[in-house]
Amino acid sequence: MLKGLANFPLYQNLLAAKAQKQKGFALLIDPDKLKTKELNETIERAVWAGVDYFFVGGSLLLNDALEEVVALLKSQTDIPVFLFPGSLRQISHNADALLLLSLISGRNPDLLIGQHVEAAAYLRKSPLEILPTGYMLIDGGKPTSVSYISNTQPIPANKEDIAICTALAGQLLGLKLIYMDAGSGALQPISSQMIEAVSSAIELPLIVGGGIRTAEKVAQNIHAGADLVVVGNALEKAPQLMAEMVAACH
């Protein structure tokens, strides 16, 4: 028997925020990229800026820092920690929730359902809030780590009709979130036109990330219909922009 919605408090928060047209900002932290001192500074900035969520994960994990990063985030803040795994082996029970990503923009069966079958029994026993998420890669102008690792082609940046139908398919399949991502370091973020088209077509909370480098682009994504904006790479390079980006969401 599936868990009732009452057992999904973070998802209820996302639904309530969407109903009230309240937008959110998530800071993406790659455990491979931040040392402890840098992470402490990032946490301080995030708390001061009013970040709504931490997303933790990456296409690769080159060290064993995932547990350390999650533990540090949980010990120093009350900000919810979502796992954003490059694979279902990137799991920490100390986090609050797991985005159970199904790569619905690609045709790689392992990332559509294969890894999920392998992890299902383990995840069922997990204390994590499991959020089935339709993950859509959008062409950001250059190959990214996630497109290479996933061995899939992103949706062309100008094909709003494909993006709409893909997101709708995810909704009809019963997924709880749609996540559109241009990938870390994308040359071009997802266009406002595509965000607006997808947001207008679905009822699920819409997460948007990849290639976002300015507060102006954050604001454009929010205005176009994103419910939650995710930024990571740009804030690794220019952490002083965090407060401005968060303010653009609120």
Side-chain angles (χ1 to χ4, degrees), residues 75-154:
S75 68
Q76 295 193 22
T77 82
D78 295 324
I79 299 172
V81 177
F82 286 62
L83 297 175
F84 175 49
S87 76
L88 291 178
R89 291 179 291 275
Q90 299 176 15
I91 297 174
S92 167
H93 286 172
N94 292 319
D96 297 297
L98 170 74
L99 298 178
L100 185 59
L101 303 175
S102 182
L103 186 56
I104 59 175
S105 62
R107 299 297 180 267
N108 183 336
D110 195 40
L111 299 180
L112 275 168
I113 187 63
Q115 289 191 15
H116 311 69
V117 172
E118 293 178 17
Y122 176 74
L123 291 177
R124 186 179 186 184
K125 299 176 182 178
S126 167
L128 295 166
E129 183 173 336
I130 308 296
L131 300 179
T133 302
Y135 190 50
M136 297 169 53
L137 290 180
I138 310 298
D139 187 10
K142 72 171 186 178
T144 60
S145 296
V146 66
S147 63
Y148 180 83
I149 294 297
S150 67
N151 194 28
T152 65
Q153 293 292 323

Side-chain angles (χ1 to χ4, degrees), residues 47-61:
V47 171
W48 182 81
V51 165
D52 297 292
Y53 303 101
F54 290 119
F55 282 13
V56 180
S59 297
L60 296 169
L61 282 185

